[in-house]
Amino acid sequence: MFIGHFGVALAAKKAAPRTSLGTLVLAAQFVDLIWPIFLLLGIEQVAISPGATAVTPLDFFFYPFSHSLLADVGWAFLFAGIYKLVKHDAWGAVCLWFVVMSHWLLDALSHRPDLPLYPGSSTYVGLGLWNSRPWTFIVEGAIFALGVWIYARATRPRDRAGSRAFGFFAALLAILYLINFFGPPPPSARAVAWAGLGMWLLVFWAYWLDGHREMRTSPPLTPIP
Ligand SMILES: [Zn+2]
């Protein structure tokens, strides 16, 4: 899944109002953000195989350290643990654990059975939503649209940058998704990895735009006596 993960990050802002959208995007996309690094280091592998599924030409034949269930549980604990240590926000850490885990669940919904349970496992999970282009478009589009709607309702811009940066963010994601959906297959696995690294820019953008927005119902910082 691609923009569905961003939909989860946007929606999670309502549950974790003190957590920046940047951190939520980093969490929702975490294993997809370390995956290109593992590809470039040769730790994991992907092949271009047009027709692998109706939606993606990528054959994810070896990615147990980023995308096995056990690895994702481990990344979720690491992510939430570091956040708790740095921010001292236990609730935010709990939310982030679920957001990191949501990645695996959404991938398990969309991928064909290529997600191992743990590194070395021969059991692969995947419900194969990607075998249907219309259903992928409907389901992923709906998750993303719902996330945009929830974030837009839960927060308000502090200034003009706050509304424009959010609008551009949502529009850019939708355009990237359409290019991904209707565009030609990538030329090489290396190109996939570099494009994947480019997704880090969206994390920084999310941090920046979230700083220009605030919760509509900001809870009082100190209890009223
Ligand atoms: Zn993924």
Side-chain angles (χ1 to χ4, degrees):
M1 198 164 270
F2 171 46
I3 53 170
H5 299 306
F6 286 86
V8 171
L10 287 159
K13 179 71 179 181
K14 192 173 165 66
R18 278 173 295 173
T19 307
S20 168
L21 180 65
T23 308
L24 293 165
V25 168
L26 184 61
Q29 275 287 82
F30 188 69
V31 301
D32 273 8
L33 289 164
I34 56 172
W35 174 64
I37 299 169
F38 288 177
L39 287 180
L40 290 170
L41 292 175
I43 297 168
E44 297 194 332
Q45 281 158 32
V46 69
I48 314 289
S49 167
T53 62
V55 170
T56 180
L58 300 182
D59 177 1
F60 304 94
F61 68 92
F62 188 73
Y63 60 166
F65 307 112
S66 63
H67 275 76
S68 66
L69 175 59
L70 184 69
D72 206 14
V73 171
W75 293 120
F77 275 112
L78 186 72
F79 197 102
I82 290 174
Y83 180 84
K84 169 77 174 63
L85 275 177
V86 174
K87 293 283 186 180
H88 309 288
D89 172 11
W91 173 246
V94 170
C95 292
L96 287 166
W97 188 89
F98 281 101
V99 173
V100 176
M101 282 313 301
S102 76
H103 186 101
W104 195 87
L105 295 174
L106 288 185
D107 274 4
L109 172 69
S110 44
H111 287 224
R112 62 181 180 172
D114 60 21
L115 294 150
L117 288 183
Y118 51 88
S121 163
S122 55
T123 305
Y124 294 91
V125 181
L127 295 174
L129 178 68
W130 275 346
N131 290 320
S132 164
R133 286 173 70 85
W135 278 112
T136 297
F137 205 76
I138 291 166
V139 171
E140 193 163 6
I143 296 172
F144 178 65
L146 195 64
V148 169
W149 185 71
I150 290 172
Y151 182 83
R153 276 181 62 100
T155 64
R156 64 174 163 239
R158 273 189 220 272
D159 50 26
R160 272 170 88 158
S163 66
R164 286 185 181 177
F166 174 53
F168 279 125
F169 181 76
L172 179 73
L173 280 169
I175 291 166
L176 285 175
Y177 187 57
L178 292 175
I179 292 171
N180 217 22
F181 205 85
F182 295 107
S188 66
R190 232 182 143 69
V192 172
W194 284 108
L197 277 186
M199 300 301 287
W200 279 91
L201 292 174
L202 290 167
V203 175
F204 300 127
W205 192 344
Y207 273 112
W208 178 68
L209 89 84
D210 199 71
H212 287 269
R213 296 182 70 90
E214 61 192 7
M215 297 307 288
R216 278 187 202 271
T217 49
S218 301
L221 291 173
T222 47
I224 298 158

